[in-house]
Amino acid sequence: MSHLLSCHRDRRKKVQGYLRTPEAAKYLGVGRSTLERKRIDGSGPRFRQLGSKIITYAISDLDAWASKQVLSSTSERAAA
């Protein structure tokens, strides 16, 4: 029985490494529609599409994308 619980715990850890769109938006501090728009235009974090409607984001991909958004001034965004 303890092996079964251990496997379930390991599976939950893997699932916990991914967030659906509402949770990913909250994690990043942006609106859900902003994240959806960035997914459409390709400017957002990498994502996985599971089936026709389920979108998930790896937390590591969210962190990597956010770390690329660092600017020193507001004029940097316009120049890019």
Side-chain angles (χ1 to χ4, degrees):
M1 185 76 164
S2 65
H3 176 69
L4 183 60
L5 290 175
S6 176
C7 289
H8 180 68
R9 225 177 285 126
D10 291 342
R11 187 173 173 194
R12 279 185 47 208
K13 285 180 185 175
K14 290 178 185 174
V15 172
Q16 288 176 349
Y18 292 89
L19 301 173
R20 304 270 300 262
T21 301
E23 293 82 15
K26 188 173 183 178
Y27 181 83
L28 292 171
V30 300
R32 179 180 178 170
S33 62
T34 298
L35 196 54
E36 291 169 346
R37 193 169 43 254
K38 290 184 174 300
R39 188 169 64 235
I40 291 167
D41 71 19
S43 66
R46 292 169 29 131
F47 63 93
R48 284 131 182 97
Q49 186 168 356
L50 310 173
S52 63
K53 295 184 180 183
I54 299 172
I55 303 294
T56 62
Y57 296 87
I59 292 173
S60 59
D61 289 337
L62 296 174
D63 291 338
W65 178 81
S67 70
K68 293 178 186 175
Q69 306 306 307
V70 177
L71 305 172
S72 298
S73 72
T74 56
S75 61
E76 283 184 63
R77 180 69 69 190

